[in-house]
Amino acid sequence: MAAPRPRTVTFAAPPEEVFDYLADPRNRPAWQTSLRAVKMLDEDGPRVGQRWRDLTWAGVRPHMRITQLQRPTLWAETGSWFGVSADLTLRFEPEGAGTAVSVEMDVRGTGPWRWPAGLADRLADGAVAGDLRRAADLLGGSSAR
C-alpha cells in the first residue's frame, strides 16, 4: 500500500461554505462524475457515522460512511464494495478569500480485487481532483495545484 498522495484544489468560496457543500453526501451527484445518485441510509447529518450508498454509472454501489468531521477543517469517509475499500480525506485551509482543499485518497483490495484496486488507486487522485474542480466551479471558481 502506497502512502496517500495529496492534491490541492482552490475554491473561491470561504472554508465554511466549501466544507458544508462537500461534507453533505446529497450534493455529490452534482459534482462527482461517477455518481448517478446517492441513497441515504441515515438522514441526520452530516455527522461522523452517517451512512449512504453511492449509486454509480458503472453499477458499483459501495457502502459509504463519514469517519471524521471537524467543521471547517477536516472531513473523511470510507467506502467498501466486495473486496475493495477506499478512504478519502479532505483538509480545508483558508487561502486568501477562498479555500484550499487538499485531497488524500487510498484504495485497497484483497484477494482477486487486489490488482483492480491497485489500478483504481493510481487513477483515483486525478479523478478526485477533477471532481473537486467541478465542485469548485459550482461554488464560483477553482484552480488546481
Side-chain angles (χ1 to χ4, degrees), residues 4-15:
R5 300 158 305 275
R7 293 208 182 202
T8 301
V9 175
T10 302
F11 287 65

Side-chain angles (χ1 to χ4, degrees), residues 11-14 17-19 21-22 133-142:
F11 287 65
E17 182 179 345
V18 175
F19 183 93
Y21 184 70
L22 295 178
R133 283 190 294 279
R134 178 182 291 204
D137 289 344
L138 291 170
L139 290 177
S142 73

Side-chain angles (χ1 to χ4, degrees), residues 66-141:
I66 295 174
T67 57
Q68 296 181 67
L69 190 140
Q70 298 171 13
R71 185 181 188 265
T73 60
L74 175 68
W75 181 88
E77 71 179 19
T78 191
S80 62
W81 183 74
F82 290 101
V84 177
S85 59
D87 296 316
L88 172 67
T89 301
L90 303 178
R91 297 180 194 283
F92 303 76
E93 292 187 28
E95 185 166 290
T99 307
V101 178
S102 65
V103 179
E104 294 175 14
M105 183 80 183
D106 182 36
V107 182
R108 301 164 307 285
T110 59
W113 298 99
R114 185 180 213 138
W115 186 85
L119 178 61
D121 188 55
R122 285 190 288 284
L123 300 173
D125 290 340
V128 172
D131 286 343
L132 287 177
R133 283 190 294 279
R134 178 182 291 204
D137 289 344
L138 291 170
L139 290 177

Side-chain angles (χ1 to χ4, degrees), residues 15-44:
E16 294 79 9
E17 182 179 345
V18 175
F19 183 93
D20 290 346
Y21 184 70
L22 295 178
D24 190 339
R26 291 171 280 253
N27 293 328
R28 292 178 75 162
W31 58 268
Q32 188 174 338
T33 55
S34 64
L35 284 184
R36 263 187 321 114
V38 297
K39 179 181 179 187
M40 300 305 299
L41 302 175
D42 298 317
E43 289 296 331
D44 59 326

